[in-house]
Amino acid sequence: MEATVTTANSEDKTWGGGNEPMGASYGKMMMWFFIMSDALTFSGFLAAYGLSRFKFIETWPLADEVFTHFPFLHGVSAPMYYVALMTFILIFSSVTMVLAVDAGHQMKKNKVIVYMFLTIIGGLIFVGSQAWEWKNFIKGEYGAVETKGGSLLQFVDKDGNRVALADFASTLHGERVQHTSNKGTWFLSEGELPSYSLAEVQAGFKAHPELSVRIESIYEATPDNVKDAKINHDLSKFKHKTVLSREESISRLADGHYVVEGANLIRNEYGNKLFADFFFFITGFHGFHVFSGVILNIIVFFNVLIGTYEKRRSYEMVEKVGLYWHFVDLVWVFVFTVFYLV
């Protein structure tokens, strides 16, 4: 029996690529392996988000009501505008990366420098935009009250428009104590006190008879039930939160337990707590990938500047970081779809 031994110097082609299986270099193959494994990780996260949303579909926050901020337009409702701009910037940075890779194939160093620089700028803008979005999400805009049973109570006027706690909460004189770890239950410290106490919110609500409480439950908008609920919303929004009568509102508010402002891993003024947990984890995980990609691009960018790849007569490293950059762009398309559009 004869044995065939393949060495590095053999002319035989393993998989048609010799020491480069499938015609790809070792580095590119490893990048593809990493991308595939990371894609499975993101798939698991998004699948968990989808299952949780399906389970709590009736109390899930509406994206059009959560992501309404736009820089330098304080008080102006611009639902999804800034998120759409962020998405456009990230996708455009993927285009400039394609141009950088193409310029590398043509050994045009100056063009590679220009397009890599534009890609880095796009990535930095996106990461900064995510940080700004996180800040607004954590800070909140209107505030709400959490009941002893864990339900969330929001406040609306007679037209169904959200009303902030600052617009109606009363000012009561009295000392508010923030529990520290040596005084708190089970030696746990209390988080930062909200701007208003529960008593101030309850007193202010009673003093404003035009206000009502809105609960988390979502109903499908039709001409009949919108009229019955006395909500003058545009029917094109399709979904609406349930608004209680004045009597029901006072009764539910009496069961209040905690004033919620903004969102964190424990409470969420916009709705279901799991929404905030998934938002911080998935968008934060993706943001870490984008930031890592920016760092890699900066390293490669400086190598291009000093002529490292020009001396090697190959810009394959630009192509490898380009594969990673296209991956994080593609992942954001799915994150954008499940969080903001669906």
Side-chain angles (χ1 to χ4, degrees), residues 307-319:
T308 300
Y309 309 124
E310 193 76 16
K311 296 174 184 176
R312 296 179 184 176
R313 304 300 299 168
S314 173
Y315 282 86
E316 186 181 278
M317 185 58 71
V318 176
E319 187 174 355

Side-chain angles (χ1 to χ4, degrees), residues 137-138 144-147 150-152 190-192 194 257-277 280:
F137 188 67
I138 294 171
V145 169
E146 185 180 292
T147 66
S151 300
L152 197 71
E190 185 181 24
E192 183 179 352
H257 172 66
Y258 191 87
V259 176
V260 182
E261 291 180 308
N264 51 49
L265 297 177
I266 301 175
R267 293 183 170 89
N268 176 18
E269 76 162 50
Y270 303 100
N272 196 292
K273 302 171 185 178
L274 277 177
F275 177 83
D277 296 340
F280 287 126

Side-chain angles (χ1 to χ4, degrees), residues 6-8 10 12-30 314 316 319-320:
T6 302
T7 65
S10 174
D12 294 334
K13 300 291 185 180
T14 305
W15 297 354
N19 289 325
E20 296 186 353
M22 303 178 70
S25 68
Y26 178 82
K28 287 172 66 175
M29 285 291 291
M30 293 303 102
S314 173
E316 186 181 278
E319 187 174 355
K320 285 187 282 191

Side-chain angles (χ1 to χ4, degrees), residues 43-57:
S43 298
F45 293 158
L46 294 177
Y49 172 85
L51 290 173
S52 299
R53 176 171 179 170
F54 180 77
K55 182 177 181 180
F56 301 104
I57 188 65

Side-chain angles (χ1 to χ4, degrees), residues 96-274:
T96 57
M97 178 58 80
V98 169
L99 296 174
V101 172
D102 182 66
H105 288 161
Q106 301 178 40
M107 300 301 293
K108 295 180 179 179
K109 175 182 174 181
N110 291 335
K111 284 191 174 182
V112 175
I113 292 173
V114 171
Y115 292 130
M116 285 289 293
F117 179 76
L118 292 176
T119 302
I120 292 169
I121 295 300
L124 290 174
I125 292 175
F126 180 84
V127 172
S129 297
Q130 269 202 325
W132 183 85
E133 187 183 44
W134 271 42
K135 177 185 73 69
N136 286 285
F137 188 67
I138 294 171
K139 180 181 178 182
E141 185 174 4
Y142 296 102
V145 169
E146 185 180 292
T147 66
K148 296 176 182 177
S151 300
L152 197 71
L153 308 180
Q154 301 169 336
F155 302 95
V156 296
D157 59 20
K158 60 182 180 180
D159 295 323
N161 300 314
R162 289 286 303 275
V163 178
L165 300 181
D167 295 335
F168 69 88
S170 300
T171 301
L172 302 179
H173 298 288
E175 184 179 0
R176 300 173 62 193
V177 179
Q178 182 174 4
H179 295 292
T180 56
S181 58
N182 62 329
K183 297 180 180 179
T185 306
W186 297 106
F187 300 100
L188 297 176
S189 60
E190 185 181 24
E192 183 179 352
L193 290 176
S195 302
Y196 304 95
S197 67
L198 179 61
E200 290 174 328
V201 174
Q202 291 172 333
F205 183 80
K206 292 180 180 179
H208 291 77
E210 75 280 4
L211 299 181
S212 298
V213 163
R214 190 179 78 167
I215 59 177
E216 298 174 88
S217 299
I218 298 176
Y219 69 90
E220 303 296 330
T222 65
D224 292 334
N225 61 29
V226 168
K227 181 178 179 181
D228 293 341
K230 297 180 181 180
I231 302 177
N232 297 324
H233 282 308
D234 181 3
L235 290 180
S236 63
K237 292 184 66 175
F238 190 66
K239 291 182 178 180
H240 302 277
K241 300 287 188 177
T242 302
V243 178
L244 304 179
S245 67
R246 178 68 181 177
E247 293 73 18
E248 291 175 319
S249 298
I250 295 176
S251 175
R252 290 295 296 273
L253 189 57
D255 192 41
H257 172 66
Y258 191 87
V259 176
V260 182
E261 291 180 308
N264 51 49
L265 297 177
I266 301 175
R267 293 183 170 89
N268 176 18
E269 76 162 50
Y270 303 100
N272 196 292
K273 302 171 185 178
L274 277 177

